[in-house]
Amino acid sequence: MSPWGRKKRIQEQNNHVAPAKTGQPPQTEWPELETDSPSLKTRLHWFKQRFNNCSDIIFREFTLTSGENCAIIYFSGMIDQDSLQRFILQDLQTEASESATIYKALFQRKSLSVSNYTITSDLNECLTHILNSCATLIIDGDKRMINFEVASYPTRSIEETPNESIIRGSRESFIEDLPTNLTLLRRLLKTPDLKTESIVVGRKTQTPLVLAYIEGICKPELIAEMKRRLSYIQIDGIIGSYYIEEFIKDNPYSPFPQVEYTERPDIVIASLLEGRAAIMLNGTPVCLLAPVTLYMLMQSPDDYNMWFIAGSFIRLIRYLFLLISLLLPSIYIAVTTFHPQMIPFPLLITIASAREIVPFPVVYEAFIMEITFEALREASIRIPKSIGQAVSIIGALVIGTAAVQAGIISATMVIVVSVTGIASFIIPHYDLGLSVRLLRFPIIILASMFGLYGIACALIFIYIHLVKMKSFGVPYLSPLTPLIKEDTGDTFIRLPWTFMRTRPSITSNNRHRIAKNARGWSEPKGENE
């Protein structure tokens, strides 16, 4: 059993927490109504107690022309006032004047202009609808209450994401509004097989999320496992996507990301077509994708929007600089400290002369420059964007030049750390780049203690860890470890689409991706339709 499974099994046995039902809000601790009376006054009193000291709640009482007393409850700023006035209140008055009883007009004739509404007699359910930007209508003498979905609140316009820039491709990105994000998917993926199951998480925030997948392509056991893990999320509030990620990933103590995230609809659609599942959360533009492998994290949309040879070359460059970002400072420390005979003599003289006036060992130089570079990188994110680029680039050059002139740092170490920092920016996935940056420090320590042997031991430990890791049952290094030959066409290089005629077997059920009459198709020997 995986660490995630053992942890959840122990938690379930100790706490006896029942999983939340899919598509329903989590259980809340609202006080029950003391009486089952359909009185408008009694129910309004209950709602006013629940929303005590809430200055933005509106209780609007009115009387219809037929004589019934009514009230409508909603939060100011969360609904469309024009729709409330024109399509609800005016229609109510019109139907009340034409019908002997408003109950028949509302519940039998269904003559209101607003089509999205639900009818319930449960006060707790109505309270949840109000919190979810609905307007609730209460009629005196009838237990049934109508919840109108007339939500309207400020949202950000659809723009290009600054975190995933590409040269050629779509410029659309997700925003913080979940219905808008679902619309972006539906507009590009026109198939009824796209399923979007709604789940509510967070006892206080009651945040809606959607589990999206393509039926017939995504494996049913993956969906069942994701639902199981999501059902055990018992927390007061879900503010961002990482709250979900930390609860559902297999190994919470691994530095490597086990769930991919993106703000681009085209990446989500490409992942769904490969049999993966997506988690879209209301209130954040970030969409989670699972399962994920190391090779998926090294892919970029530009790899598929250019000539396959150029895309393969850039991807190989990416892997090269991944190793440089992880190992270059450690190799420099190991070679200069323990294995100087490996360096050509002219270069060795140059390095020795540059370090002649430096008072610190080379490992101290590396730590000083690495920490300084990380501080400048973090400062460039936190300060205003207008001066952030100046701090990250000019600040590094000025500090590095001053440190070399002062004799604190050697010029060679400045070059090594600068190349290492630039290499970390080439990694497409930010969390993977962060993992490499974190692992760089223990490898530097091992290199300063044992030389190249320490680096070799560190790489062995990292490889063993990666081999043991899984993301929702999928090996982290697949399809190379274990080897699946038919899935290796999109790992270190990208083959032409006509050669990648099947989907990855690790994530999909229906493997046929390209039709027989497509250019370059050849029927696989021994493979059934």
Side-chain angles (χ1 to χ4, degrees), residues 4-25:
W4 191 97
R6 288 196 298 269
K7 179 180 177 182
K8 293 302 178 183
R9 178 70 61 83
I10 294 173
Q11 179 181 354
E12 181 181 0
Q13 292 175 353
N14 293 339
N15 299 334
H16 301 284
V17 178
K21 295 182 179 180
T22 303
Q24 295 183 1

Side-chain angles (χ1 to χ4, degrees), residues 393-404:
I393 298 177
I394 299 176
L397 293 175
V398 171
I399 293 176
T401 303
V404 171

Side-chain angles (χ1 to χ4, degrees), residues 8 65 110 140 142 197 351 370 373 430 437 476 488:
K8 293 302 178 183
T65 55
K110 299 180 181 180
D140 190 18
D142 195 295
E197 299 189 23
I351 295 175
E370 286 288 350
F373 195 90
Y430 178 81
R437 286 154 51 191
Y476 201 65
T488 57

Side-chain angles (χ1 to χ4, degrees), residues 201-382:
V201 291
R203 291 191 296 264
K204 298 299 183 183
T205 58
Q206 298 189 20
T207 307
L209 64 82
V210 165
L211 177 61
Y213 60 94
I214 298 181
E215 189 177 38
I217 295 180
C218 184
K219 293 184 176 181
E221 51 267 28
L222 170 63
I223 301 303
E225 178 64 16
M226 296 194 75
K227 290 180 182 178
R228 186 179 73 87
R229 298 189 185 188
L230 290 171
S231 68
Y232 283 100
I233 298 179
Q234 301 291 332
I235 189 173
D236 286 343
I238 299 294
I239 309 300
S241 60
Y242 190 76
Y243 287 69
I244 302 294
E245 179 181 346
E246 191 165 330
F247 273 102
I248 65 175
K249 61 184 180 180
D250 292 72
N251 192 344
Y253 304 107
S254 173
F256 291 93
Q258 298 158 59
V259 177
E260 184 182 0
Y261 66 85
T262 182
E263 298 181 27
R264 298 182 56 85
D266 55 347
I267 295 181
V268 175
I269 292 175
S271 301
L272 294 177
L273 290 173
E274 287 189 346
R276 302 165 69 189
I279 298 177
M280 307 175 69
L281 187 70
N282 191 46
T284 175
V286 177
C287 175
L288 303 179
L289 300 171
V292 70
T293 64
L294 178 64
Y295 309 105
M296 292 178 181
L297 297 174
M298 291 296 292
Q299 297 171 358
S300 170
D302 280 327
D303 296 348
Y304 307 95
N305 293 328
M306 62 176 65
W307 187 34
F308 71 95
I309 293 180
S312 300
F313 172 75
I314 294 176
R315 186 177 293 183
L316 290 174
I317 293 293
R318 214 174 284 143
Y319 279 101
L320 172 63
F321 277 88
L322 172 67
L323 295 177
I324 290 176
S325 176
L326 181 65
L327 300 176
L328 183 58
S330 306
I331 293 176
Y332 175 76
I333 293 172
V335 171
T336 56
T337 305
F338 293 92
H339 316 283
Q341 66 275 10
M342 298 179 63
I343 307 175
F345 187 74
L347 179 59
L348 181 62
I349 294 298
T350 302
I351 295 175
S353 61
R355 297 201 68 258
E356 184 177 2
I357 60 174
V358 177
F360 304 111
V362 64
V363 62
Y364 290 174
E365 284 187 83
F367 268 100
I368 291 173
M369 287 302 299
E370 286 288 350
I371 293 175
T372 303
F373 195 90
E374 293 296 331
L376 289 172
R377 188 202 304 261
E378 186 68 16
S380 65
I381 297 175
R382 305 303 169 193

Side-chain angles (χ1 to χ4, degrees), residues 440-503:
R440 192 186 303 153
F441 290 97
I443 298 178
I444 287 176
I445 295 175
L446 290 175
S448 66
M449 297 174 61
F450 307 106
L452 292 178
Y453 299 104
I455 298 177
C457 291
L459 291 178
I460 291 174
F461 286 135
I462 293 174
Y463 181 73
I464 293 174
H465 174 69
L466 292 176
V467 168
K468 293 172 60 178
M469 274 183 57
K470 289 186 177 181
S471 174
F472 288 88
V474 175
Y476 201 65
L477 294 182
S478 59
L480 297 183
T481 307
L483 180 62
I484 306 175
K485 292 183 180 180
E486 58 269 23
D487 294 345
T488 57
D490 195 19
T491 51
F492 292 110
I493 62 173
R494 182 184 81 81
L495 295 179
W497 278 113
T498 52
F499 286 87
M500 294 189 297
R501 60 182 183 269
T502 57
R503 297 184 179 90

Side-chain angles (χ1 to χ4, degrees), residues 30-39 41-47 49-50 121-124 143 145:
W30 309 117
E32 294 294 337
L33 187 62
E34 295 180 357
T35 178
D36 197 24
S37 171
S39 169
K41 182 178 180 181
T42 304
R43 286 179 289 177
L44 279 180
H45 178 70
W46 187 87
F47 279 110
Q49 283 184 332
R50 303 292 77 77
S121 300
D122 188 356
L123 290 177
N124 287 326
K143 296 180 181 180
M145 294 167 284

Side-chain angles (χ1 to χ4, degrees), residues 33 37-52 57-62 69-74 123 130 136-140 145:
L33 187 62
S37 171
S39 169
L40 173 63
K41 182 178 180 181
T42 304
R43 286 179 289 177
L44 279 180
H45 178 70
W46 187 87
F47 279 110
K48 289 179 180 179
Q49 283 184 332
R50 303 292 77 77
F51 292 116
N52 187 31
I57 189 70
I58 304 297
F59 296 93
R60 182 175 178 182
E61 299 183 50
F62 57 94
N69 294 322
C70 303
I72 194 162
I73 307 173
Y74 59 91
L123 290 177
I130 295 173
T136 296
L137 175 66
I138 305 175
I139 304 172
D140 190 18
M145 294 167 284

